[in-house]
């Protein structure tokens, strides 16, 4: 576990405090003077809380701005349908990428599952409709399963793929099981009206303790590892729909029929995305879903699509469907509350009618002037009535087959057999998707190896006459990819730092100052600067930036009152003559910071999109201090601070070396494995997952962005972050890069020690002295 505070700490604190070399407890100073050439820091209250609140305001503002900014990604040509399709092709590809629609679908065979009903699978019938169970392969070894409804007495006029909400079964949508009122059973009513209707099952929201730990919905359980591998549950379910379209277009029974897709709630989301991606879908109806999506961070985390709002709201998705007919039904949507308990807290509410109409009008404006473009809004009741009204279904039928009318409701379906167990079907769906993602995880080292080949070709193992300079030049391209596509970067210049400081701590060998710097509007950097008392005028010393872990504070790394696993390492280093700075990173206050990640992700950003500029501002300010050598500023972080040690120096070349303590491991597997006991799939850190690291940057590849600068790992044998074997496996790749490829073996090290999740402060301190060229104390 990558944590700053562990329950075990309370038991071991007395022992750790008694260890040799533990720093003396600093004395707090009230109303202290500021540093020279800085303003007095007069802010009262919890600076960490104010820092988090400021980032929250900043991100909410960015979500609001995203609506207008999306236009920069679109170059719509409305001259004709063909010209329009060509002009939006890059947007369609981008949507497929962020939804993870990447895996090849299974080639079509000669069997058309919609050609005839297999009597052995006939589940129910009425005077007008027969219902059978169907199953078809979608991609890899993943199948879709559900129901097929058709009228054996009427020649089909269209094929409709009817998608239930995640809280519904196909049987409920067809009228075979209780839970959906008859007027909302749109699958049955469309079949009675002369359509073949295919009803796939979606993964449900059933809560379950995964591996006996976090209480996750089935959707979040599958979302977590898929997200890390550049895939998405939404994309998987879209693929099932598109596989059905493949088969429908191929088979004789449905060839020539118009294809429509209609979904309610989660089904509406899948329907909209499927129609946006595939022009073979002739019409789409989105029911109980269409909305202003700026509050997607409040919705279930399985709707968290990295970078979605940078380019797409619901209106933009609808514009990808045009000029095909789009029908929006404003009705009561699924209403769900997930309280958390290890999973991400979330809430689904019925979209407000005002917001549905506003978003629909935005979509109309985007395609105004495109011949044939049609987007209708049907309101059920006052916008909170049931889905699948007669008006809605009539309009959908008219869009698919002019003249086709909605039939009067027929007699209830009479079950013939009970061969389908919805729970067993659901379990199969979950297992198959999980196995597919785990297969991607097994393959991922080879995908990353191909990804970084161009960088490694600049080394002794791949190219002639390698030099650190040539390697650093090649690394710039990968650093750009890491910054823009993986971490996310805000296109803002840093504000003037406007440094505010005050003396806050006094110790025998150093003085501590609280420091606050401006970064972006509403965003500040905050930390504690420790200055050794033996600094001489004009002397320039190295700096070590000492980073706390999860739920930590700068105060924790400078004294005994802080968290014991840190062993006051910032103060101990200051006693050795280093200048140290302990920043406040925003991963504090549990859900308050985790929702920052939820707000950042739809923008294509992460927590580190804010943390990196905070640290750049800190670096810029430190370099201007009279006693700082700006070429010798190192980073040393524990736990979540070790997570920072892998990302910040990779992003910020101003850090001259990095030490990762109590975090380094095979990071992609730790996030994506549903087998490893160390996996984050089982824990409450729902913000920890980073999109598509599996295809790009594991810890070895992040370390490659730090190289050729010195890099070290500090690893306790009994650290619960990971096993020694996985740490050694990933570190071996880093060691090979430094020692064999770059011929710089002295710049890379690992210290194994007999201990838990803690700073050891022996080999790492020696590493700092050696590479920062500062003498060790006698």
């Amino acid at each position: 576990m990558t944590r700053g505070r562990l329950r075990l700490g309370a038991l071991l604190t007395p022992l750790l405090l008694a260890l040799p070399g533990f720093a003396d407890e600093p004395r707090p100073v009230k109303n202290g003077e500021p540093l020279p050439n800085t303003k007095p820091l007069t802010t009262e209250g919890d600076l960490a809380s104010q820092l988090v609140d400021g980032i929250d305001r900043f991100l909410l503002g960015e979500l609001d701005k995203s609506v207008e900014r999306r236009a920069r990604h679109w170059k719509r040509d409305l001259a004709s349908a063909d010209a329009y399709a060509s002009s939006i092709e890059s947007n369609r590809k981008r949507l497929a990428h962020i939804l993870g629609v990447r895996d090849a679908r299974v080639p079509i065979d000669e069997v058309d599952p919609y050609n005839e009903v297999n009597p052995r699978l006939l589940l129910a019938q009425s005077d007008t409709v027969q219902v059978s169970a169907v199953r078809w392969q979608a991609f890899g070894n993943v199948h879709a399963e559900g129901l097929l409804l058709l009228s054996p007495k009427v020649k089909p006029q269209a094929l409709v793929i009817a998608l239930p909400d995640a809280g519904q079964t196909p049987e409920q949508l067809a009228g075979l099981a209780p839970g959906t009122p008859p007027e909302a059973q749109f699958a049955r009513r469309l079949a009675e009206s002369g359509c073949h209707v295919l009803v796939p099952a979606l993964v449900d929201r059933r809560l379950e303790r995964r591996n006996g730990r976090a209480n996750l919905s089935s959707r979040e359980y599958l979302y977590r590892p898929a997200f890390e591998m550049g895939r998405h549950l939404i994309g998987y379910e879209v693929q099932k729909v598109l596989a059905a379209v493949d088969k429908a277009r191929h088979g004789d029974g449905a060839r020539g029929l118009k294809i429509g897709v209609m979904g309610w709630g989660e089904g509406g989301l899948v329907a909209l995305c499927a129609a946006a991606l595939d022009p073979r879908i002739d019409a789409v109806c989105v029911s109980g879903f269409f909305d202003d999506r700026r509050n997607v961070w409040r919705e279930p985390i399985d709707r968290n699509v990295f970078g979605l709002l940078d380019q797409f709201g619901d209106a933009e998705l609808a514009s990808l469907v045009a000029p095909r007919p789009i029908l929006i039904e404003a009705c009561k949507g699924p209403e769900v509350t997930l309280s958390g308990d290890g999973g991400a807290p979330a809430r689904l509410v019925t979209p407000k009618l005002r917001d549905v109409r506003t978003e629909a009008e935005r979509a109309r404006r985007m395609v105004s002037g495109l011949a044939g473009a049609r987007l209708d809004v049907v309101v059920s009741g006052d916008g909170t009535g049931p889905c699948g009204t007669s008006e809605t279904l009539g309009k959908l039928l008219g869009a698919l087959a002019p003249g086709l009318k909605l039939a009067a409701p027929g007699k209830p379906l009479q079950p013939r057999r009970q061969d389908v167990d919805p729970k067993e079907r659901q379990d199969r769906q979950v297992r198959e998707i999980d196995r597919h993602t785990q297969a991607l995880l097994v393959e991922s080292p080879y995908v990353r190896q191909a990804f970084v080949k161009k960088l490694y070709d600049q080394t002794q193992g791949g190219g002639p006459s390698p030099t650190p300079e040539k390697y650093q030049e090649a690394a710039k391209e990968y650093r750009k990819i890491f910054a823009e596509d993986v971490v996310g970067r805000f296109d803002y210049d840093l504000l003037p730092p406007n440094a505010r400081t005050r003396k806050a701590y006094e110790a025998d060998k150093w003085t501590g100052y609280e420091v606050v710097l401006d970064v972006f509007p509403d965003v500040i950097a905050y930390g504690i600067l420790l200055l050794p008392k033996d600094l001489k005028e004009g002397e320039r010393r190295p700096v070590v930036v000492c980073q706390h872990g999860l739920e930590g504070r700068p105060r924790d790394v400078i004294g005994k009152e802080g968290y014991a696993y840190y062993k006051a390492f910032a103060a101990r280093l200051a006693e050795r003559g280093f200048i140290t700075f302990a920043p406040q990173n925003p991963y504090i206050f549990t859900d308050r910071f985790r929702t920052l990640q939820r707000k950042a992700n739809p923008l294509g950003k992460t927590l580190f999109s804010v943390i990196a500029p905070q640290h750049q501002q800190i670096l810029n300010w430190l370099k201007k201090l009279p006693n700082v050598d700006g070429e010798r500023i190192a980073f040393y972080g524990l736990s979540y601070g070790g997570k920072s040690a892998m990302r910040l120096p990779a992003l910020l070349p101003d850090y001259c070396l990095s030490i990762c303590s109590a975090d380094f491991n095979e990071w992609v597997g730790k996030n994506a494995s549903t087998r490893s006991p160390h996996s984050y799939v089982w824990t409450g850190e729902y913000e920890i997952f980073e999109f598509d690291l599996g295809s790009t940057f594991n810890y070895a590849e992040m370390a490659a962005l730090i190289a050729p600068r010195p890099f070290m790992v500090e690893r306790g044998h009994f650290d619960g972050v990971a096993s020694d074997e996985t740490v050694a496996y990933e570190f071996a790749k880093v060691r090979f890069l430094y020692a064999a490829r770059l011929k710089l073996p002295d710049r890379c090290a690992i210290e194994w020690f007999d201990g838990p999740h803690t700073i050891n402060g022996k080999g790492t301190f020696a590493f700092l002295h050696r590479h920062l060229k500062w003498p060790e104390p006698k």
Side-chain angles (χ1 to χ4, degrees), residues 35 130-131 220 245 247 249 311 337 365 501 590 661 685 690 716 750:
L35 281 166
Q130 290 181 335
V131 183
E220 182 172 355
V245 174
K247 292 182 180 294
R249 287 301 188 206
Q311 197 165 139
T337 299
R365 290 197 299 269
T501 69
T590 57
S661 177
E685 286 93 340
E690 296 158 285
I750 186 169

Side-chain angles (χ1 to χ4, degrees), residues 366-377:
M366 291 171 192
V367 297
S368 177
L370 178 61
R374 174 182 159 194
L375 189 152
D376 294 331
V377 175

Side-chain angles (χ1 to χ4, degrees), residues 449 452-453 455-463 466-467 471 733-744:
Q449 189 177 59
V452 296
K453 182 178 184 300
L455 177 60
Y456 288 165
D457 280 351
Q458 303 302 312
T459 67
Q460 197 67 274
T467 65
Y471 181 85
K733 303 176 195 177
V734 183
R735 178 67 183 173
F736 183 76
L737 170 63
Y738 276 85
R741 291 182 178 274
L742 293 172
K743 308 302 181 187
L744 299 169

Side-chain angles (χ1 to χ4, degrees), residues 14-60:
L15 174 63
L16 290 168
L17 293 181
L19 291 174
F22 209 98
D24 292 333
E25 185 67 15
R27 300 177 293 278
V29 175
K30 293 184 178 180
N31 303 315
E33 293 295 314
L35 281 166
N37 302 314
T38 66
K39 296 178 181 178
L41 175 58
T42 58
T43 305
E44 299 298 330
D46 188 344
L47 290 171
S49 182
Q50 293 169 39
L51 180 145
V52 170
D53 284 345
I55 296 173
D56 188 68
R57 290 192 299 273
F58 172 76
L59 291 174
L60 288 173

Side-chain angles (χ1 to χ4, degrees), residues 612-629:
Q614 286 176 315
H615 277 252
Q616 185 63 67
Q617 189 73 301
I618 289 167
L619 285 161
N620 294 348
W621 181 74
L622 286 171
K623 286 181 176 183
K624 293 180 180 178
L625 294 182
N627 289 112
V628 166
D629 182 347

Side-chain angles (χ1 to χ4, degrees), residues 70 104 137 151 198 227 251 273 290 349 369 415 541 559 697 707 711 724:
R70 291 171 206 155
Q137 198 167 0
S151 175
L198 186 66
F227 193 81
C273 291
F290 204 78
V349 297
R541 291 194 188 180
F697 296 92
F711 173 73
D724 274 1

